[in-house]
Amino acid sequence: MDANQQEFRNPFGMDTACENCPELCGERERVVHGYGDVGAEFLVVGTRPTAAAEANGVPFTGADGGERVQSIFADLGFVRSPPDAAEPDVQNVFFTSLTRCRHPDREPTDREVDTCEPFLNAEIRMINPQIIVPVGERPLRELAVEYTTRRPDSFDVDAEHATTIRGRGFELVPMKEPTEMTDAEADAFREHMRENVLSRDYRQTKGRQSR
């Protein structure tokens, strides 16, 4: 872990009082920025905070799929805490999302995704991951269109789940929405990570030194 990192929660000190989307400010409970190891090789990107993640202030925690994601990454050696932990003990992974605020009644608009893009771009630039895991259709399309040469209409998270997509500067390993994954699909993701991703020789200077 970077010697200057003091905590996992919003380690880059991003704006927690952002008001760039006025229609969200009165609806959200809080702004939920990224959480994790700033020296990570693996970056996990969802669409927006779930209700549980918003309550915890930490992406991919609690019910609505967070516990399943934590369980999967614990099995792969990235999380040392129980799946229901509100502040997971992580190593070599960073959790974040396209948008940082949650509207209780709808998905983010294109404008809201665009407005939040500088937060995600800054995290990608500062973390410099080798692998990005887009969780769900929207993150897959947003990231793949930005960082690959494929056509936007060629991306389908059902077909791309548990595969590797070559990108510019890193690779994408898509994951279906955790609430929509079957146990077999969760196992397929674990197996692909173990057999085709973790088995390769990654930079040993990134991530927490205790791993």
Side-chain angles (χ1 to χ4, degrees), residues 156-207:
D156 179 351
V157 74
D158 290 332
E160 311 278 6
H161 173 80
T163 66
T164 297
I165 301 171
R166 302 289 179 180
R168 294 192 291 269
F170 47 76
E171 295 174 334
L172 303 174
V173 181
M175 175 191 287
K176 289 184 65 172
E177 288 284 355
T179 55
E180 299 174 5
M181 262 192 293
T182 65
D183 290 344
E185 288 169 334
D187 288 342
F189 184 87
R190 293 183 182 93
E191 181 177 0
H192 179 76
M193 286 283 288
R194 290 190 181 108
E195 298 298 322
N196 300 289
V197 179
L198 299 177
S199 60
R200 289 182 286 163
D201 183 23
Y202 282 93
R203 293 190 296 260
Q204 296 302 306
T205 57
K206 289 181 70 66

Side-chain angles (χ1 to χ4, degrees), residues 115-128:
T115 300
C116 254
E117 187 176 17
F119 289 132
L120 178 61
N121 286 345
E123 288 169 340
I124 292 174
R125 184 179 68 253
M126 290 186 284
I127 295 169
N128 188 27

Side-chain angles (χ1 to χ4, degrees), residues 12 14 43 45 96-98 100 113-129 132 142-143 146-147 170:
F12 300 114
M14 294 181 172
L43 179 69
V45 183
T96 191
S97 55
L98 296 178
R100 310 308 166 98
V113 171
D114 290 343
T115 300
C116 254
E117 187 176 17
F119 289 132
L120 178 61
N121 286 345
E123 288 169 340
I124 292 174
R125 184 179 68 253
M126 290 186 284
I127 295 169
N128 188 27
I132 296 184
E142 295 287 343
L143 291 164
E146 180 73 20
Y147 294 107
F170 47 76

Side-chain angles (χ1 to χ4, degrees), residues 47-123:
T47 300
R48 62 168 183 165
T50 63
E54 183 182 45
N56 292 333
V58 176
F60 292 104
T61 58
D64 304 321
E67 291 183 11
R68 188 165 207 183
V69 171
Q70 291 296 319
S71 176
I72 289 171
F73 280 91
D75 290 343
L76 294 170
F78 295 96
V79 179
R80 297 174 169 178
S81 48
D84 60 353
E87 295 196 23
D89 178 14
V90 302
Q91 58 176 355
N92 205 19
V93 66
F94 193 91
F95 297 102
T96 191
S97 55
L98 296 178
T99 59
R100 310 308 166 98
C101 298
R102 177 181 181 273
H103 193 289
D105 301 321
R106 61 168 174 81
E107 293 293 307
T109 65
D110 290 343
R111 179 184 176 277
E112 289 162 358
V113 171
D114 290 343
T115 300
C116 254
E117 187 176 17
F119 289 132
L120 178 61
N121 286 345
E123 288 169 340

